Amino acid sequence: MSDDIAQQVIAAIAKKKKVDPATVTAATTFEELGLDSLDAADLMFTIEDTFKIVVPDQAATSMHTVGEIIDGVRQLVSHSGQPASAS
């Protein structure tokens, strides 16, 4: 389950930024990806749609790495009762 979430988050980020998913790791920062605040907000909308979750604004603004997004999605998915895999 967790690996699936990580792969889906990384794939979504790589697609948004048009980079090779192999270059995106949990330690990758938004700054390294060239994400500004607008890009980050757009990414959160994509993550919410992909996983059918709602990321609270406070949580979204505190995320600065890919790993933080993955951890946040894991928590939200586990609390929502939704299946971890998204189509």
Side-chain angles (χ1 to χ4, degrees):
M1 174 170 102
S2 296
D3 290 339
D4 189 41
I5 289 174
Q7 290 173 355
Q8 289 180 28
V9 168
I10 288 171
I13 292 168
K15 185 176 180 181
K16 278 275 178 216
K17 292 307 293 178
K18 297 181 174 89
V19 298
D20 182 351
T23 64
V24 181
T25 69
T28 305
T29 65
F30 288 5
E31 186 176 308
E32 291 169 335
L33 291 167
L35 286 173
D36 61 22
S37 58
L38 185 58
D39 289 332
D42 186 44
L43 177 60
M44 285 302 134
F45 291 133
T46 299
I47 296 295
E48 289 177 332
D49 288 345
T50 299
F51 292 97
K52 310 294 187 251
I53 57 173
V54 175
V55 178
D57 290 342
Q58 185 176 3
T61 58
S62 70
M63 295 178 184
H64 303 287
T65 68
V66 174
E68 290 172 347
I69 294 174
I70 293 168
D71 291 342
V73 169
R74 283 182 185 145
Q75 289 177 0
L76 290 168
V77 167
S78 70
H79 288 101
S80 73
Q82 295 292 325
S85 59
S87 49

